[in-house]
Structures are given as structure tokens and as C-alpha cells.
Amino acid sequence: MRKSILVVDDEDVVRKSVQRILEIAGFDVQTAAGGPECLAILNKGFKGLILMDIVMPGMDGWDTIKAIVEGGLFEGNLICMLTGKEVPDIKMDYLKEYVLDYILKPFESSKLIQICGEYLSYLDKP
Amino acid sequence: MLKWIFKGLPMLNAGIIVVQHMPKFINDSLRDSLSSVTPMRVSIAENGAALESGTVVIAPSEVHLSLVENRIVRLHHGSKVNFVCPSADVTMKSLTWDLEVLFVGVVVTGMGRDGADGTVHIKKLGGTTIAQDEKTSSIFGMPREAIRTGCVDFVLTPDEISRKLIDLVGVK
């Protein structure tokens, strides 16, 4: 089954630009404007690579990861933080083991595509 | 990041242990990914196995990896250290004084301070310590904490780390 990428970011321009970059590169991409929307997509059965913004209003990236783990939705997914915040707060300490990598904004398109391809290949293995 | 370092590595005259926290279901994928870029034999660590020169063993998820007498892998359950399991500090601090062994500790991009205490320990054993540079680190947290201990010998890019490892331990 082909795996998808879920971009979670409250900023419309970031969401759409990342989606466009990755779709042009041939990936299937879904987007969520925040934690609740992300959880709804996962509850519908999404499996793949999640690119998660940290700073979002209401439910931030760490809150969302906590909800993913507590809701039993983590298995089969990989999470990378796609963030402009270089040093995330102490909130992440006990959640960092669920984060595979960090991609700092602004990012190079080629690097983003390379990283996504690499991690999606991890999920393609039986 | 690991792939970037390993793609520059020939068959080193050393055994390498990789400690990275990751979901268990991608352990094999990481092994295959590293295997695809280095001639060194890459495997998931098994309890009781000896660390051999020319090989890479990856600490499996959800257990700590220690070395007994600097050679025999011991996998053990335990509390998280630095909020993670496996912890690089646990592995690095399990090493013991041995004049016949050259220890090299490398801390690459990552969140938190895992690897910092291990870096101090390896330095105390007379080993060589390396941290990834800020420019190439997605997150500079772990390398920064290692550097702050004052026990890091070299701050390098991934390409430079590969070359330094070759210089330090040699090729088989």
C-alpha cells in the first residue's frame, strides 16, 4: 500500500507550499490545519509520515503527539517536526522518543523531498 | 543523518554501535538503509553477541544496550535515561578502562542531552570525542550539550566525521 504524508501546520501558506513541493515530487499528501484535524485524519486510518508543526494555537504539536500516543494512533506512523522553532520547550522531553527527526523552516525543497522519501521507504518495508 | 555519515565509511577497523531512539517497527528499515551505503555488516544488536571489527550494530528500540568488558552486548530493560530508551549515555558509560581499546564517541543531531555524560566518560577513558556541528544539525541540542561539557575534541560536519573516523581507527 502506498504511504502518504500528512502535513500539520496552522499556517495556510506553509501547509500549501509543503503540499505542493511534495506532490510535485510524486508523494500523496494530506493536510491538517491543527491537532484536532490531524487526529481526525488518523482516526480514519491514515498511516504514513506526519510532518508536524510545533507552534500552533490551542493544541500545539506536542499536545497533538501526546494525543496520538494516548489514542493508540502512533503505530505505523512516523513523526518529523517541521518547525521554525529551533529549540522546542521542556514540554517535549518525555515525547521526544516519538519524534524521528526535525526539519527546520525555512528548508530546502530538495532536502525535504529527500528526507520524506527516506522515511517513507522505512514504512514500505514489511 | 546517520546515512550521511555511513555513506562515507569503508570497512572500518572497528566495531560501531548506533544508538538512536526510533519506533520499533522501523528497526529493520534503518538497518537496511545503512547497509545500502556501507560495506560494513549492519545488524540489530542481539543479547550476548560480541561486537566485531568491521561491523555495525544498532541498538534495538525499547531496551538499553551496554557492553560487557567492552565487547559483549547486553540488552536490558530499564527506566528511560534522558527520557529515552535506548540511551546513548547508558551505552557509552558502560565502557571500561582498557589500554588496548581505542574508544571514539560521536554525538550527532538530536534533542535533549543524551550523549553528554557519555562523552565525558569516554574522554575519561582516554578516548576521542566528536560532536556534529551546528550548521549541519537539524537540532543542535545534543551536540551542544556534549560540547558544553568541555570534553569534545572535534566539532565536525557529517562528511568530516566520516573522514575523522577513518583517520582514527583505520580501514580493514
Side-chain angles (χ1 to χ4, degrees):
Chain A
M1 188 177 99
R2 191 173 182 195
K3 300 293 183 182
S4 299
I5 298 170
L6 174 58
V7 182
V8 186
D9 199 306
D10 62 305
E11 291 187 52
D12 192 51
V13 63
V14 173
R15 232 173 28 250
K16 286 182 175 169
S17 61
V18 171
Q19 181 177 24
R20 181 168 167 74
I21 289 166
L22 295 176
E23 284 183 343
I24 288 172
F27 297 110
D28 290 329
V29 183
Q30 297 185 52
T31 63
E37 196 176 334
C38 168
L39 293 172
I41 291 171
L42 291 180
N43 273 312
K44 287 178 186 169
F46 174 91
K47 296 292 181 192
L49 175 64
I50 303 170
L51 301 179
M52 179 82 71
D53 188 23
I54 292 180
V55 182
M56 296 186 287
M59 192 177 200
D60 68 15
W62 298 116
D63 294 332
T64 307
I65 293 173
K66 185 168 182 280
I68 289 170
V69 173
E70 290 179 350
L73 298 168
F74 179 67
E75 184 70 27
N77 289 303
L78 295 176
I79 301 174
C80 288
M81 303 311 267
L82 183 64
T83 176
K85 189 176 182 183
E86 189 173 0
V87 185
D89 54 47
I90 194 74
K91 210 171 176 178
M92 50 69 58
D93 272 342
Y94 69 102
L95 293 170
K96 67 182 178 185
E97 65 177 333
Y98 299 102
V99 177
L100 188 62
D101 204 351
Y102 300 81
I103 304 167
L104 293 184
K105 294 183 279 189
F107 48 81
E108 292 176 24
S109 300
S110 58
K111 187 177 178 186
L112 178 68
I113 292 166
Q114 181 188 358
I115 290 171
C116 289
E118 173 77 9
Y119 292 148
L120 281 178
S121 76
Y122 285 11
L123 292 166
D124 284 338
K125 302 267 171 64
Chain B
M1 181 50 56
L2 287 171
K3 202 171 179 179
W4 188 355
I5 294 172
F6 276 88
K7 76 178 182 184
L9 291 184
M11 179 75 80
L12 288 184
N13 189 26
I16 297 178
I17 299 173
V18 173
V19 181
Q20 176 174 338
H21 59 267
M22 60 183 152
K24 194 172 186 175
F25 65 85
I26 66 164
N27 283 185
D28 290 347
S29 295
L30 178 63
R31 177 200 61 204
D32 294 346
S33 176
L34 297 185
S35 286
S36 72
V37 294
T38 177
M40 298 182 78
R41 184 165 57 82
V42 185
S43 63
I44 306 299
E46 293 182 11
N47 195 47
L51 179 64
E52 303 288 353
S53 177
T55 67
V56 180
V57 296
I58 299 171
S61 299
E62 300 171 11
V63 289
H64 291 298
L65 187 159
S66 297
L67 277 187
V68 178
E69 297 176 344
N70 299 323
R71 181 169 167 81
I72 305 300
V73 170
R74 185 171 80 89
L75 302 178
H76 50 103
H77 294 279
S79 303
K80 291 177 182 174
V81 176
N82 301 315
F83 303 97
V84 291
C85 181
S87 158
D89 273 347
V90 170
T91 302
M92 296 164 98
K93 290 167 75 175
S94 72
L95 302 174
T96 54
W97 179 261
D98 187 337
L99 281 174
E100 295 184 356
V101 178
L102 171 64
F103 299 110
V104 182
V106 183
V107 178
V108 297
T109 178
M111 185 70 67
R113 72 175 314 280
D114 196 31
D117 292 345
T119 295
V120 173
H121 183 73
I122 285 180
K123 200 65 209 159
K124 284 180 181 170
L125 295 179
T128 302
T129 52
I130 300 170
Q132 187 178 351
D133 71 327
E134 183 168 10
K135 188 176 181 185
T136 63
S137 294
S138 302
I139 293 289
F140 194 49
M142 283 172 50
R144 179 192 291 121
E145 292 300 319
I147 292 166
R148 278 179 178 163
T149 66
C151 290
V152 167
D153 296 311
F154 302 100
V155 179
L156 304 173
T157 67
D159 288 338
E160 291 169 340
I161 291 172
S162 301
R163 289 197 291 273
K164 181 58 71 178
L165 291 175
I166 294 168
D167 289 345
L168 288 169
V169 304
V171 176
K172 284 182 75 123

